[in-house]
Amino acid sequence: MGLLQKLTKPFIDIFVLVWDFNLLLLNFVLPSYKPGHLVPEGQAGHGGKWPEYIPPKEGDSRSACPMINAMANHGILPHDGKNISFKELNTKLRQTFNFAPSFCFFVPKFSADFLDRSYWGGRFDLAELSKHNAIEHDGSLTRQDVAIVPDQAKPDLELVDQLLKEATGTMPDGSPLLTKRDLSLALSKRRYAARKSNPAYTESFFHNMFGSSNSSTMLTIFGGRVNDLTPMLTEERFPDNWEPRILGRFGLTMAAFNATVIPVERGVDVKKIEASHAATEAK
């Protein structure tokens, strides 16, 4: 990170937090969008109609994030996943998932900083977002650790299947629903397994919080609905007739998001999983 970026970062961070809190208050005051009316006419996803899904071809760039990859697979971001501006990512995240403007600024700005580029004029390829221990981290619910599978562009379908089978909730129509408790248990099991299988495994409070944050989008933007998460996590594709489940006027703020992230992370108990395995092996 350049000297100017280091000097301005604390001021930008404070500004984003204040901005985010004010958006949170406005969401309380202003009426939410009605289901089916979030995405305006002329924008990708209006009426549940998304641009054509085209899987990545050889040479295309993809990241460790299913949601960002889906945007490229549908042509919302350049399909080859290359030469994308951080400001374009900001705009497209906001339009596609209804994250708050503060959130949509913070994530690309954070990415620009760890890639040592300017948010205002810099560009990147999606694969660069998979820099180890930046946004990408060990113990992911949809990818094997980078020490085991260096290419983070594709999901591990066995891990995804294990995750979705954790769902214990039920929608009114009887379809399965992931809950906070389910996600905490899945993260507990995954971190235990990653520690056992990856000699280069690394973990910190920051990485754990980022892992819970990445995972918690499944409960917020997707509402925990397994029928919607299945195509997103396996094919990195938007389901037909899908729209974000966050309908607040200013989208999902970081402050509101923490109401999901913190309980999920607090519910993670790797020691309990370790003790359970030890008891099983002792029999």
Side-chain angles (χ1 to χ4, degrees):
M1 189 184 301
L3 178 59
L4 181 60
Q5 286 174 288
K6 289 181 179 179
L7 291 174
T8 58
K9 186 178 185 304
F11 299 99
I12 292 175
D13 289 346
I14 292 171
F15 169 78
V16 171
L17 289 174
V18 173
W19 181 20
D20 188 76
F21 183 71
N22 281 306
L23 294 177
L24 174 71
L25 295 179
L26 286 171
N27 276 338
F28 280 125
V29 173
L30 297 175
S32 297
Y33 291 101
K34 295 180 180 179
H37 293 79
L38 173 65
V39 182
E41 188 174 354
Q43 190 171 297
H46 174 71
K49 296 179 180 179
W50 295 93
E52 181 185 4
Y53 167 78
I54 302 175
K57 63 180 187 300
E58 186 176 353
D60 287 345
S61 185
R62 292 294 184 268
S63 74
C65 175
M67 293 166 66
I68 291 178
N69 289 349
M71 293 166 68
N73 292 339
H74 285 272
I76 297 167
L77 291 173
H79 188 270
D80 65 1
K82 298 179 180 180
N83 198 33
I84 301 167
S85 75
F86 295 102
K87 293 172 71 175
E88 179 182 10
L89 179 61
N90 177 334
T91 301
K92 297 301 184 181
L93 283 172
R94 169 82 174 125
Q95 292 175 345
T96 305
F97 295 109
N98 198 29
F99 285 106
S102 50
F103 211 143
C104 292
F105 171 78
F106 175 80
V107 172
K109 179 65 168 60
F110 178 79
S111 302
D113 287 347
F114 75 67
L115 292 174
D116 199 21
R117 293 176 196 167
S118 166
Y119 165 82
W120 309 104
R123 291 179 172 271
F124 66 97
D125 295 348
L126 292 185
E128 295 180 283
L129 298 181
S130 297
K131 181 179 179 181
H132 187 49
N133 281 342
I135 292 176
E136 184 278 330
H137 54 84
D138 289 337
S140 164
L141 292 177
T142 66
R143 263 76 172 165
Q144 292 289 347
D145 294 350
V146 69
I148 297 172
V149 180
D151 184 3
Q152 294 287 296
K154 295 180 180 179
D156 184 297
L157 297 183
E158 184 176 342
L159 286 179
V160 172
D161 183 61
Q162 291 172 3
L163 165 64
L164 298 180
K165 283 181 178 177
E166 295 285 351
T168 61
T170 306
M171 292 289 296
D173 64 1
S175 59
L177 183 75
L178 269 176
T179 68
K180 292 177 185 177
R181 182 175 295 181
D182 298 335
L183 204 53
S184 294
L185 179 59
L187 285 165
S188 301
K189 292 179 178 179
R190 179 69 185 107
R191 290 176 191 173
Y192 170 79
R195 290 176 186 179
K196 295 280 286 184
S197 63
N198 178 11
Y201 181 82
T202 59
E203 185 178 316
S204 69
F205 175 77
F206 173 79
H207 297 146
N208 287 344
M209 287 302 296
F210 225 112
S212 289
S213 296
N214 291 342
S215 304
S216 291
T217 57
M218 292 186 273
L219 303 183
T220 51
I221 300 298
F222 286 86
R225 304 179 187 194
V226 171
N227 288 348
D228 289 345
L229 287 167
T230 299
M232 174 56 64
L233 298 183
T234 58
E235 301 174 75
E236 300 184 333
R237 170 179 65 82
F238 291 108
D240 295 335
N241 300 313
W242 180 82
E243 71 172 4
R245 303 304 173 184
I246 297 295
L247 300 175
R249 188 66 52 167
F250 286 97
L252 179 63
T253 62
M254 292 184 288
F257 191 45
N258 284 335
T260 298
V261 175
I262 293 173
V264 166
E265 180 57 32
R266 287 183 64 184
V268 174
D269 191 346
V270 180
K271 289 183 179 179
K272 183 176 180 180
I273 302 300
E274 186 176 4
S276 175
H277 279 267
T280 301
E281 292 170 359
K283 291 180 179 179

